[in-house]
Each structure stands twice: as structure tokens, then as C-alpha cells.
Amino acid sequence: YGAEHPNVARSLLRVAQARLALRRADGARAAAARAVAIREKAFGATHAYVADALDVESSALAALGRAAEARAASERAARIRAKPAVGP
């Protein structure tokens, strides 16, 4: 598949969620941010899959005490979901 394949993003999000459960927020944030980047490239910046990844990134940022960044990611995800779905 390659490093930019959407399946890699899905795996990275699972890694991020596991790291959050283990209270390893730094690693969770890095994995989630990479997943966001892959999904933006694969599906476009306003796709629902990007919103899902942003939610995980937001949780990691909140766990790191970076409230303003967490809120921004969460609000971006909400704006994406508020738009009508387009594409696959």
C-alpha cells in the first residue's frame, strides 16, 4: 500500500487510541497528527474521515494539557461534520 495509504491512517489511529489508553499522550498525538495528514491527502480536508482523525488528535492534545489546540481540532471536526457529505 505505501506510507500514504488510507489503511495506514486507520492503523495509526488505532495506535493513537491505544497510546491514549496507556497514558502516552505524546505518542498518541504524533500518530493522530500523521493520520490526519494522510486522510487529508487521500480524501480532502473536509471529509468525514478527517473529522474522525481530528477527534483522536483533539483527545491527545487535551491529555497533553494543550486545551486551545484540542478545542481547535474538535471545532474543525464539528465544522466538517456540519457540511453535507461529499465523495466516498
Side-chain angles (χ1 to χ4, degrees), residues 11-49:
S11 295
L12 284 167
L13 288 174
R14 289 180 181 149
V15 167
Q17 291 167 328
R19 287 180 177 167
L20 279 171
L22 294 170
R23 300 178 195 255
R24 295 182 180 165
D26 281 333
R29 196 290 169 132
R34 181 76 182 114
V36 169
I38 292 170
R39 285 185 167 185
E40 285 176 334
K41 185 175 179 180
F43 302 111
T46 60
H47 195 281
Y49 289 162

Side-chain angles (χ1 to χ4, degrees), residues 22-88:
L22 294 170
R23 300 178 195 255
R24 295 182 180 165
D26 281 333
R29 196 290 169 132
R34 181 76 182 114
V36 169
I38 292 170
R39 285 185 167 185
E40 285 176 334
K41 185 175 179 180
F43 302 111
T46 60
H47 195 281
Y49 289 162
V50 174
D52 294 340
L54 284 165
D55 283 337
V56 177
E57 184 177 25
S58 176
S59 295
L61 287 164
L64 290 168
R66 295 164 61 177
E69 292 171 87
R71 188 176 319 106
S74 181
E75 289 172 355
R76 181 175 167 212
R79 284 192 304 274
I80 291 169
R81 288 193 179 97
K83 294 181 181 182
V86 177

Side-chain angles (χ1 to χ4, degrees), residues 1-10 38-39 42:
Y1 293 111
E4 299 295 319
H5 194 276
N7 286 349
V8 173
R10 182 177 35 205
I38 292 170
R39 285 185 167 185

